[in-house]
Protein backbone atom coordinates (compact mmCIF):
# COMPACT_ATOMS: atom_id res chain seq x y z
CA UNK A 1 0.00 0.00 0.00
CA UNK A 2 1.53 3.28 -1.12
CA UNK A 3 0.83 6.73 -2.36
CA UNK A 4 -1.04 8.43 0.49
CA UNK A 5 -1.96 12.09 -0.02
CA UNK A 6 -0.61 13.98 2.99
CA UNK A 7 -0.84 17.60 1.82
CA UNK A 8 2.93 18.04 1.69
CA UNK A 9 2.85 18.99 5.38
CA UNK A 10 -0.01 21.52 4.95
CA UNK A 11 -3.41 20.97 6.58
CA UNK A 12 -5.82 20.24 3.77
CA UNK A 13 -9.28 21.82 3.79
CA UNK A 14 -12.39 19.60 4.22
CA UNK A 15 -13.40 19.39 0.53
CA UNK A 16 -9.89 18.22 -0.35
CA UNK A 17 -9.76 15.74 2.54
CA UNK A 18 -13.08 14.30 1.34
CA UNK A 19 -11.60 13.51 -2.08
CA UNK A 20 -8.12 12.33 -1.05
CA UNK A 21 -8.12 11.65 2.71
CA UNK A 22 -7.19 8.11 3.76
CA UNK A 23 -6.59 6.82 0.23
CA UNK A 24 -4.23 3.81 0.19
CA UNK A 25 -3.19 2.66 -3.27
CA UNK A 26 -2.25 -0.90 -4.12
CA UNK A 27 0.84 -1.54 -6.31
CA UNK A 28 -1.46 -1.12 -9.37
CA UNK A 29 -1.79 2.61 -8.63
CA UNK A 30 -5.56 2.71 -9.20
CA UNK A 31 -7.21 6.18 -9.29
CA UNK A 32 -10.38 5.23 -7.44
CA UNK A 33 -10.26 3.54 -4.03
CA UNK A 34 -9.87 -0.23 -4.35
CA UNK A 35 -12.65 -2.47 -3.06
CA UNK A 36 -11.11 -5.22 -0.93
CA UNK A 37 -13.95 -7.74 -0.80
CA UNK A 38 -12.03 -10.27 1.26
CA UNK A 39 -12.74 -12.00 4.54
CA UNK A 40 -9.13 -12.65 5.43
CA UNK A 41 -5.49 -12.26 4.46
CA UNK A 42 -2.62 -14.68 3.72
CA UNK A 43 0.84 -14.53 5.22
CA UNK A 44 4.27 -15.03 3.63
CA UNK A 45 5.22 -17.61 6.28
CA UNK A 46 4.41 -18.97 9.72
CA UNK A 47 6.66 -16.33 11.32
CA UNK A 48 4.80 -13.57 9.47
CA UNK A 49 1.47 -14.94 10.74
CA UNK A 50 2.82 -15.02 14.28
CA UNK A 51 4.03 -11.39 14.00
CA UNK A 52 0.60 -10.27 12.71
CA UNK A 53 -1.16 -11.95 15.63
CA UNK A 54 1.16 -10.69 18.36
CA UNK A 55 0.94 -7.13 16.97
CA UNK A 56 4.61 -6.79 15.94
CA UNK A 57 3.42 -6.42 12.35
CA UNK A 58 0.42 -4.04 12.17
CA UNK A 59 -1.01 -5.57 8.95
CA UNK A 60 -4.51 -6.97 8.43
CA UNK A 61 -5.70 -10.24 10.00
CA UNK A 62 -9.44 -10.63 9.42
CA UNK A 63 -12.12 -8.27 8.11
CA UNK A 64 -14.08 -8.39 11.37
CA UNK A 65 -11.05 -6.68 12.96
CA UNK A 66 -10.08 -4.34 10.09
CA UNK A 67 -10.19 -4.17 6.30
CA UNK A 68 -8.26 -1.86 3.91
CA UNK A 69 -11.36 -0.37 2.21
CA UNK A 70 -13.11 0.14 5.56
CA UNK A 71 -9.91 1.69 6.95
CA UNK A 72 -9.83 4.18 4.07
CA UNK A 73 -13.37 5.24 5.02
CA UNK A 74 -12.40 5.52 8.70
CA UNK A 75 -9.26 7.53 7.90
CA UNK A 76 -11.15 9.91 5.60
CA UNK A 77 -13.76 10.52 8.32
CA UNK A 78 -11.00 11.02 10.94
CA UNK A 79 -9.33 13.66 8.75
CA UNK A 80 -12.64 15.47 8.26
CA UNK A 81 -13.67 15.33 11.91
CA UNK A 82 -10.23 15.98 13.40
CA UNK A 83 -10.53 12.75 15.44
CA UNK A 84 -7.64 10.55 16.54
CA UNK A 85 -9.41 7.26 15.91
CA UNK A 86 -12.59 5.77 14.48
CA UNK A 87 -14.48 2.51 13.94
CA UNK A 88 -16.97 2.09 11.11
CA UNK A 89 -20.11 0.05 11.76
CA UNK A 90 -22.84 -1.72 9.80
CA UNK A 91 -25.43 0.99 10.46
CA UNK A 92 -26.01 4.17 12.42
CA UNK A 93 -27.76 2.16 15.15
CA UNK A 94 -24.76 -0.16 15.45
CA UNK A 95 -22.66 2.99 16.01
CA UNK A 96 -25.03 4.30 18.72
CA UNK A 97 -25.14 0.92 20.46
CA UNK A 98 -21.35 0.57 20.22
CA UNK A 99 -20.67 4.03 21.65
CA UNK A 100 -23.04 3.46 24.59
CA UNK A 101 -22.03 -0.16 25.32
CA UNK A 102 -18.35 0.81 25.24
CA UNK A 103 -19.05 3.57 27.81
CA UNK A 104 -20.90 1.71 30.58
CA UNK A 105 -20.82 -1.20 33.03
CA UNK A 106 -23.65 -2.52 35.24
CA UNK A 107 -24.29 0.05 37.96
CA UNK A 108 -23.46 3.03 35.74
CA UNK A 109 -25.85 5.78 34.72
CA UNK A 110 -26.56 7.54 31.41
CA UNK A 111 -28.29 10.87 30.79
CA UNK A 112 -29.84 11.44 27.36
CA UNK A 113 -31.85 14.18 25.71
CA UNK A 114 -35.48 13.08 25.21
CA UNK A 115 -35.68 14.18 21.59
CA UNK A 116 -33.88 11.12 20.26
CA UNK A 117 -34.22 9.00 17.15
CA UNK A 118 -36.71 6.22 18.07
CA UNK A 119 -34.21 3.35 18.19
CA UNK A 120 -31.80 5.44 20.30
CA UNK A 121 -34.63 5.88 22.79
CA UNK A 122 -35.11 2.11 22.83
CA UNK A 123 -31.44 1.54 23.69
CA UNK A 124 -31.59 4.13 26.49
CA UNK A 125 -35.02 3.33 27.92
CA UNK A 126 -35.28 -0.43 27.39
CA UNK A 127 -31.99 -2.11 26.52
CA UNK A 128 -29.49 -0.47 28.92
CA UNK A 129 -31.72 -0.96 32.02
CA UNK A 130 -31.82 -4.73 31.27
CA UNK A 131 -28.09 -4.78 31.94
CA UNK A 132 -28.20 -2.69 35.10
CA UNK A 133 -27.56 0.70 33.52
CA UNK A 134 -30.06 3.36 34.57
CA UNK A 135 -30.99 6.15 32.15
CA UNK A 136 -32.45 9.58 32.85
CA UNK A 137 -34.10 11.45 29.97
CA UNK A 138 -34.04 15.25 30.04
CA UNK A 139 -35.21 18.17 27.91
CA UNK A 140 -31.94 18.71 26.02
CA UNK A 141 -32.45 22.45 25.59
CA UNK A 142 -32.74 22.97 29.39
CA UNK A 143 -29.21 23.00 30.86
CA UNK A 144 -30.57 22.90 34.44
CA UNK A 145 -32.14 19.50 33.72
CA UNK A 146 -28.78 18.10 32.53
CA UNK A 147 -27.09 19.55 35.62
CA UNK A 148 -29.66 18.05 38.00
CA UNK A 149 -29.60 14.64 36.27
CA UNK A 150 -25.87 13.87 36.49
CA UNK A 151 -24.60 11.77 39.40
CA UNK A 152 -21.20 10.48 40.50
CA UNK A 153 -21.84 7.20 38.58
CA UNK A 154 -22.92 8.94 35.34
CA UNK A 155 -20.60 7.68 32.59
CA UNK A 156 -22.20 9.01 29.41
CA UNK A 157 -24.33 11.94 28.27
CA UNK A 158 -25.98 11.45 24.91
CA UNK A 159 -27.64 13.92 22.57
CA UNK A 160 -28.59 14.69 18.99
CA UNK A 161 -28.48 18.26 17.65
CA UNK A 162 -30.39 19.41 15.70
CA UNK A 163 -32.97 16.90 16.88
CA UNK A 164 -35.33 14.72 14.92
CA UNK A 165 -37.93 15.80 13.86
CA UNK A 166 -38.41 19.22 15.46
CA UNK A 167 -34.82 20.47 14.85
CA UNK A 168 -34.17 21.72 18.38
CA UNK A 169 -30.59 22.86 18.85
CA UNK A 170 -28.77 21.79 22.03
CA UNK A 171 -25.77 23.69 23.42
CA UNK A 172 -23.00 21.10 22.96
CA UNK A 173 -20.23 23.06 24.72
CA UNK A 174 -22.38 23.63 27.82
CA UNK A 175 -23.49 19.97 28.03
CA UNK A 176 -19.85 18.85 27.55
CA UNK A 177 -18.87 20.94 30.57
CA UNK A 178 -21.60 19.30 32.69
CA UNK A 179 -20.45 15.83 31.51
CA UNK A 180 -16.84 16.52 32.39
CA UNK A 181 -17.76 17.85 35.86
CA UNK A 182 -18.66 14.25 36.84
CA UNK A 183 -16.04 12.54 34.63
CA UNK A 184 -18.60 11.38 32.03
CA UNK A 185 -18.16 11.33 28.26
CA UNK A 186 -20.43 13.35 25.96
CA UNK A 187 -21.58 11.39 22.89
CA UNK A 188 -23.08 13.47 20.07
CA UNK A 189 -25.15 12.02 17.22
CA UNK A 190 -24.23 14.53 14.49
CA UNK A 191 -26.40 13.18 11.66
CA UNK A 192 -28.64 16.20 11.14
CA UNK A 193 -25.83 18.81 11.21
CA UNK A 194 -23.38 16.72 9.11
CA UNK A 195 -19.61 16.94 9.78
CA UNK A 196 -19.50 20.00 7.50
CA UNK A 197 -21.75 22.26 9.59
CA UNK A 198 -20.94 21.18 13.14
CA UNK A 199 -17.75 19.87 14.78
CA UNK A 200 -18.79 18.39 18.16
CA UNK A 201 -15.23 17.35 19.15
CA UNK A 202 -14.07 20.96 18.81
CA UNK A 203 -17.04 22.05 20.95
CA UNK A 204 -15.91 19.74 23.77
CA UNK A 205 -17.73 16.46 22.99
CA UNK A 206 -15.76 13.24 23.50
CA UNK A 207 -17.42 11.00 20.92
CA UNK A 208 -19.16 11.75 17.61
CA UNK A 209 -21.34 9.22 15.84
CA UNK A 210 -22.97 9.16 12.42
CA UNK A 211 -25.49 7.18 10.53
CA UNK A 212 -23.53 7.21 7.25
CA UNK A 213 -26.79 5.98 5.70
CA UNK A 214 -27.92 9.61 5.56
CA UNK A 215 -25.92 12.49 3.99
CA UNK A 216 -22.64 10.53 3.74
CA UNK A 217 -24.14 8.05 1.27
CA UNK A 218 -26.75 10.60 0.27
CA UNK A 219 -28.03 8.57 -2.64
CA UNK A 220 -30.16 5.95 -0.89
CA UNK A 221 -27.91 2.92 -1.47
CA UNK A 222 -26.51 1.39 1.68
CA UNK A 223 -26.48 1.55 5.48
CA UNK A 224 -23.42 2.47 7.51
CA UNK A 225 -22.25 4.16 10.69
CA UNK A 226 -19.12 5.35 12.44
CA UNK A 227 -17.87 6.16 15.95
CA UNK A 228 -15.08 8.77 16.21
CA UNK A 229 -13.13 9.62 19.37
CA UNK A 230 -9.71 9.59 21.03
CA UNK A 231 -7.20 6.81 20.36
CA UNK A 232 -7.13 5.47 23.91
CA UNK A 233 -10.89 4.90 24.25
CA UNK A 234 -11.23 3.46 20.75
CA UNK A 235 -8.34 1.05 21.39
CA UNK A 236 -9.31 0.05 24.94
CA UNK A 237 -13.12 -0.07 24.74
CA UNK A 238 -14.48 0.24 21.21
CA UNK A 239 -12.06 -2.01 19.33
CA UNK A 240 -12.50 -5.10 21.58
CA UNK A 241 -16.32 -4.72 21.39
CA UNK A 242 -16.23 -4.60 17.57
CA UNK A 243 -13.68 -7.39 17.30
CA UNK A 244 -15.64 -9.80 19.50
CA UNK A 245 -19.25 -8.94 18.65
CA UNK A 246 -19.04 -8.13 14.91
CA UNK A 247 -21.02 -4.93 14.17
CA UNK A 248 -18.36 -3.89 11.63
CA UNK A 249 -19.00 -2.27 8.23
CA UNK A 250 -18.96 -4.30 5.01
CA UNK A 251 -16.06 -3.36 2.66
CA UNK A 252 -18.57 -2.93 -0.15
CA UNK A 253 -20.54 -0.38 1.86
CA UNK A 254 -17.30 1.38 2.88
CA UNK A 255 -16.45 1.73 -0.81
CA UNK A 256 -19.88 3.20 -1.64
CA UNK A 257 -19.55 5.61 1.29
CA UNK A 258 -16.02 6.68 0.25
CA UNK A 259 -17.46 7.73 -3.10
CA UNK A 260 -20.30 9.49 -1.25
CA UNK A 261 -17.80 11.51 0.80
CA UNK A 262 -16.20 12.91 -2.37
CA UNK A 263 -19.38 14.82 -3.22
CA UNK A 264 -20.63 15.49 0.35
CA UNK A 265 -19.85 19.26 0.44
CA UNK A 266 -21.45 19.87 -2.98
CA UNK A 267 -24.59 17.99 -2.01
CA UNK A 268 -24.99 19.34 1.52
CA UNK A 269 -24.38 22.97 0.49
CA UNK A 270 -26.86 22.73 -2.37
CA UNK A 271 -29.49 20.87 -0.31
CA UNK A 272 -29.12 23.39 2.54
CA UNK A 273 -29.39 26.46 0.33
CA UNK A 274 -32.56 25.01 -1.23
CA UNK A 275 -33.89 24.16 2.26
CA UNK A 276 -33.31 27.78 3.35
CA UNK A 277 -35.29 29.03 0.33
CA UNK A 278 -38.14 26.61 1.05
CA UNK A 279 -38.13 27.67 4.73
CA UNK A 280 -38.45 31.34 3.74
CA UNK A 281 -41.27 30.50 1.34
CA UNK A 282 -43.17 28.41 3.90
CA UNK A 283 -42.78 31.06 6.62
CA UNK A 284 -44.85 33.45 4.50
CA UNK A 285 -47.74 31.00 3.92
CA UNK A 286 -50.96 31.45 5.92
CA UNK A 287 -51.62 27.70 5.93
CA UNK A 288 -48.31 27.05 7.69
CA UNK A 289 -48.82 27.48 11.45
CA UNK A 290 -45.20 26.89 12.46
CA UNK A 291 -41.86 26.66 10.69
CA UNK A 292 -38.59 25.43 12.22
CA UNK A 293 -35.30 25.89 10.38
CA UNK A 294 -31.97 26.18 12.23
CA UNK A 295 -30.60 28.77 9.78
CA UNK A 296 -33.35 31.33 10.49
CA UNK A 297 -33.37 34.16 13.04
CA UNK A 298 -36.81 32.98 14.31
CA UNK A 299 -35.51 29.51 15.31
CA UNK A 300 -36.15 28.93 19.08
CA UNK A 301 -32.41 28.40 19.72
CA UNK A 302 -31.11 30.74 16.99
CA UNK A 303 -28.26 32.08 19.16
CA UNK A 304 -26.92 28.59 20.01
CA UNK A 305 -27.30 27.51 16.36
CA UNK A 306 -25.29 30.54 15.25
CA UNK A 307 -22.56 29.81 17.81
CA UNK A 308 -22.06 26.11 17.08
CA UNK A 309 -23.20 25.56 13.48
CA UNK A 310 -21.61 26.96 10.34
CA UNK A 311 -24.58 26.24 8.08
CA UNK A 312 -28.36 25.85 8.27
CA UNK A 313 -29.57 22.33 7.54
CA UNK A 314 -30.83 20.16 4.72
CA UNK A 315 -33.84 19.49 6.97
CA UNK A 316 -36.82 21.58 7.97
CA UNK A 317 -39.97 20.99 9.97
CA UNK A 318 -43.31 22.73 9.59
CA UNK A 319 -46.85 22.46 10.80
CA UNK A 320 -49.78 22.62 8.46
CA UNK A 321 -52.78 24.26 10.13
CA UNK A 322 -55.58 21.69 10.36
CA UNK A 323 -53.81 18.75 12.00
CA UNK A 324 -53.39 15.27 10.58
CA UNK A 325 -56.05 15.62 7.90
CA UNK A 326 -54.47 18.76 6.42
CA UNK A 327 -50.95 17.28 6.70
CA UNK A 328 -52.06 14.12 4.85
CA UNK A 329 -53.85 16.15 2.16
CA UNK A 330 -50.69 18.21 1.65
CA UNK A 331 -48.30 15.23 1.43
CA UNK A 332 -50.63 13.28 -0.87
CA UNK A 333 -50.79 16.28 -3.24
CA UNK A 334 -47.00 16.41 -3.64
CA UNK A 335 -45.58 15.05 -6.86
CA UNK A 336 -41.80 15.62 -6.94
CA UNK A 337 -41.26 15.30 -3.17
CA UNK A 338 -41.72 11.65 -2.17
CA UNK A 339 -43.17 10.23 1.05
CA UNK A 340 -40.44 8.36 2.95
CA UNK A 341 -38.98 8.12 6.44
CA UNK A 342 -35.37 8.43 5.23
CA UNK A 343 -33.36 11.67 5.07
CA UNK A 344 -30.23 13.29 3.66
CA UNK A 345 -31.00 11.84 0.22
CA UNK A 346 -30.59 13.33 -3.27
CA UNK A 347 -34.38 12.89 -3.55
CA UNK A 348 -36.52 15.24 -1.46
CA UNK A 349 -38.40 13.17 1.13
CA UNK A 350 -41.29 14.11 3.42
CA UNK A 351 -42.32 12.39 6.65
CA UNK A 352 -45.36 12.68 8.92
CA UNK A 353 -43.60 11.79 12.20
CA UNK A 354 -46.73 11.37 14.37
CA UNK A 355 -47.99 8.42 12.27
CA UNK A 356 -44.64 6.92 11.20
CA UNK A 357 -41.22 7.42 12.86
CA UNK A 358 -42.72 8.63 16.15
CA UNK A 359 -45.93 6.58 16.18
CA UNK A 360 -44.62 4.04 18.70
CA UNK A 361 -43.54 6.52 21.41
CA UNK A 362 -47.20 7.38 22.09
CA UNK A 363 -49.23 10.56 22.24
CA UNK A 364 -47.91 11.80 25.61
CA UNK A 365 -44.24 11.55 24.57
CA UNK A 366 -45.07 13.21 21.24
CA UNK A 367 -46.79 16.10 23.02
CA UNK A 368 -43.72 16.53 25.24
CA UNK A 369 -41.50 16.75 22.15
CA UNK A 370 -43.77 19.16 20.29
CA UNK A 371 -44.64 16.59 17.62
CA UNK A 372 -48.21 17.61 16.86
CA UNK A 373 -50.45 15.85 14.34
CA UNK A 374 -49.84 18.61 11.79
CA UNK A 375 -46.01 18.47 11.90
CA UNK A 376 -44.15 17.40 8.77
CA UNK A 377 -40.41 16.85 8.36
CA UNK A 378 -38.88 17.64 5.00
CA UNK A 379 -35.47 16.40 3.87
CA UNK A 380 -34.50 18.60 0.93
CA UNK A 381 -32.78 16.92 -2.02
CA UNK A 382 -30.85 17.90 -5.12
CA UNK A 383 -33.75 18.71 -7.45
CA UNK A 384 -34.01 22.14 -9.07
CA UNK A 385 -35.25 24.45 -6.26
CA UNK A 386 -37.91 25.93 -8.55
CA UNK A 387 -39.50 22.52 -9.10
CA UNK A 388 -39.61 21.91 -5.35
CA UNK A 389 -41.14 25.34 -4.64
CA UNK A 390 -43.80 24.78 -7.32
CA UNK A 391 -44.54 21.31 -5.95
CA UNK A 392 -45.01 22.74 -2.44
CA UNK A 393 -47.11 25.69 -3.63
CA UNK A 394 -49.45 23.39 -5.54
CA UNK A 395 -49.80 21.01 -2.63
CA UNK A 396 -50.63 23.92 -0.30
CA UNK A 397 -53.43 24.90 -2.70
CA UNK A 398 -54.89 21.42 -2.21
CA UNK A 399 -55.14 21.88 1.58
C1 LIG B 1 -31.03 7.33 10.85
C2 LIG B 1 -30.51 7.77 12.14
C3 LIG B 1 -29.92 6.86 13.03
C4 LIG B 1 -29.83 5.38 12.71
O1 LIG B 1 -29.07 5.13 11.59
P1 LIG B 1 -29.24 3.78 10.67
O2 LIG B 1 -28.13 3.91 9.71
O3 LIG B 1 -30.59 3.86 10.06
O4 LIG B 1 -29.10 2.63 11.59
C5 LIG B 1 -29.43 7.35 14.22
N1 LIG B 1 -29.52 8.65 14.53
C6 LIG B 1 -30.09 9.57 13.71
C7 LIG B 1 -30.17 10.99 14.12
C8 LIG B 1 -30.61 9.16 12.48
O5 LIG B 1 -31.18 10.06 11.68
Amino acid sequence: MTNKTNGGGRTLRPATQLVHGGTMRSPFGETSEALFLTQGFVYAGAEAAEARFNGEDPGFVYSRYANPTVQMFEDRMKALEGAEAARATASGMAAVNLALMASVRAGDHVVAAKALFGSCRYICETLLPRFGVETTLVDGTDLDQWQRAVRPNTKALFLESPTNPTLEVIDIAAVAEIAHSVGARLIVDNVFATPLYQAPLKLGADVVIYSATKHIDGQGRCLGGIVLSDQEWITEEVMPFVKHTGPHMSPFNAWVLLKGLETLPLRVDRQSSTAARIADFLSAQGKVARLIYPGRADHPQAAVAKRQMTGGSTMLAFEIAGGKEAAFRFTNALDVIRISNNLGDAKSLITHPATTTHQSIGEAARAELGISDGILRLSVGLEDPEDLLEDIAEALNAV
Side-chain angles (χ1 to χ4, degrees):
M1 292 288 193
T2 53
N3 203 358
K4 278 200 182 195
T5 301
N6 62 17
R10 284 171 291 127
T11 304
L12 297 171
R13 293 164 181 82
T16 312
Q17 294 281 17
L18 285 167
V19 175
H20 293 286
T23 301
M24 293 188 285
R25 292 201 165 83
S26 81
F28 295 116
E30 62 282 351
T31 311
S32 177
E33 298 73 13
L35 170 50
F36 291 94
L37 265 186
T38 181
Q39 298 169 340
F41 303 85
V42 296
Y43 313 103
E47 295 78 7
E50 183 182 24
R52 247 351 124 77
F53 271 80
N54 68 20
E56 272 169 33
D57 173 359
F60 296 95
V61 172
Y62 190 56
S63 283
R64 175 154 37 82
Y65 304 179
N67 170 281
T69 310
V70 178
Q71 190 177 307
M72 284 192 256
F73 173 68
E74 291 165 344
D75 286 350
R76 191 167 290 180
M77 285 298 298
K78 273 158 55 181
L80 176 64
E81 202 73 45
E84 287 177 9
R87 279 311 310 235
T89 54
S91 66
M93 283 323 303
V96 172
N97 189 51
L98 172 60
L100 285 167
M101 289 301 248
S103 298
V104 294
R105 308 280 185 273
D108 288 343
H109 174 241
V110 170
V111 184
K114 270 182 198 141
L116 284 182
F117 187 72
S119 299
C120 300
R121 257 184 100 120
Y122 172 83
I123 294 178
C124 291
E125 283 186 312
T126 309
L127 199 59
L128 290 179
R130 280 186 200 163
F131 299 97
V133 177
E134 249 191 282
T135 308
T136 307
L137 294 181
V138 299
D139 171 352
T141 61
D142 182 350
L143 293 174
D144 288 341
Q145 290 196 22
W146 288 102
Q147 189 67 63
R148 281 198 304 272
V150 293
R151 312 174 188 163
N153 64 336
T154 305
K155 290 293 156 54
L157 271 60
F158 178 45
L159 64 87
E160 254 173 59
S161 183
T163 62
N164 177 30
T166 52
L167 305 169
E168 286 176 348
V169 174
I170 301 178
D171 188 336
I172 294 173
V175 178
E177 215 170 287
I178 294 168
H180 299 156
S181 72
V182 291
R185 310 172 67 80
L186 173 61
I187 303 168
V188 175
D189 181 335
N190 207 32
V191 165
F192 274 51
T194 82
L196 299 169
Y197 291 168
Q198 183 166 274
L201 296 179
K202 293 188 183 82
L203 293 165
D206 303 279
V207 183
V208 182
I209 55 184
Y210 290 99
S211 163
T213 313
K214 312 294 166 58
H215 303 86
I216 293 174
D217 175 7
Q219 290 160 81
R221 298 163 296 193
C222 67
L223 304 191
I226 191 162
V227 176
L228 300 118
S229 187
D230 60 89
Q231 186 70 59
E232 188 186 339
W233 184 68
I234 295 281
T235 306
E236 301 293 323
E237 303 289 344
V238 172
M239 188 53 206
F241 190 92
V242 173
K243 197 168 161 177
H244 302 301
T245 66
H248 56 282
M249 176 179 280
S250 138
F252 181 81
N253 289 0
W255 181 82
V256 172
L257 296 167
L258 275 163
K259 304 321 281 180
L261 285 176
E262 293 184 345
T263 57
L264 183 69
L266 294 172
R267 289 184 286 105
V268 168
D269 285 350
R270 167 64 181 262
Q271 287 169 236
S272 299
S273 73
T274 307
R277 275 188 67 184
I278 293 173
D280 290 345
F281 172 79
L282 286 172
S283 72
Q285 305 303 312
K287 291 173 181 172
V288 175
R290 185 173 158 216
L291 168 89
I292 315 161
Y293 184 67
R296 280 174 60 92
D298 59 6
H299 185 277
Q301 294 90 32
V304 184
K306 198 165 175 203
R307 207 161 58 232
Q308 73 185 21
M309 296 180 71
T310 56
S313 175
T314 65
M315 309 288 300
L316 49 102
F318 56 101
E319 179 163 358
I320 303 275
K324 177 181 163 183
E325 199 197 335
F328 271 30
R329 196 168 299 176
F330 174 79
T331 36
N332 287 333
L334 291 165
D335 174 50
V336 179
I337 299 170
R338 313 306 308 200
I339 301 170
S340 174
N341 46 289
N342 207 359
L343 64 99
D345 202 90
K347 295 176 172 63
S348 291
L349 304 173
I350 197 157
T351 310
H352 183 248
T355 53
T356 60
T357 52
H358 290 70
Q359 188 190 128
S360 70
I361 65 171
E363 202 171 336
R366 280 199 297 277
E368 224 178 34
L369 297 173
I371 306 171
S372 64
D373 287 349
I375 281 266
L376 292 165
R377 186 194 76 186
L378 176 63
S379 170
V380 177
L382 288 173
E383 301 92 341
D384 190 306
E386 301 299 334
D387 285 327
L388 296 176
L389 287 165
E390 285 172 18
D391 202 28
I392 290 168
E394 276 175 31
L396 278 174
N397 284 338
V399 174

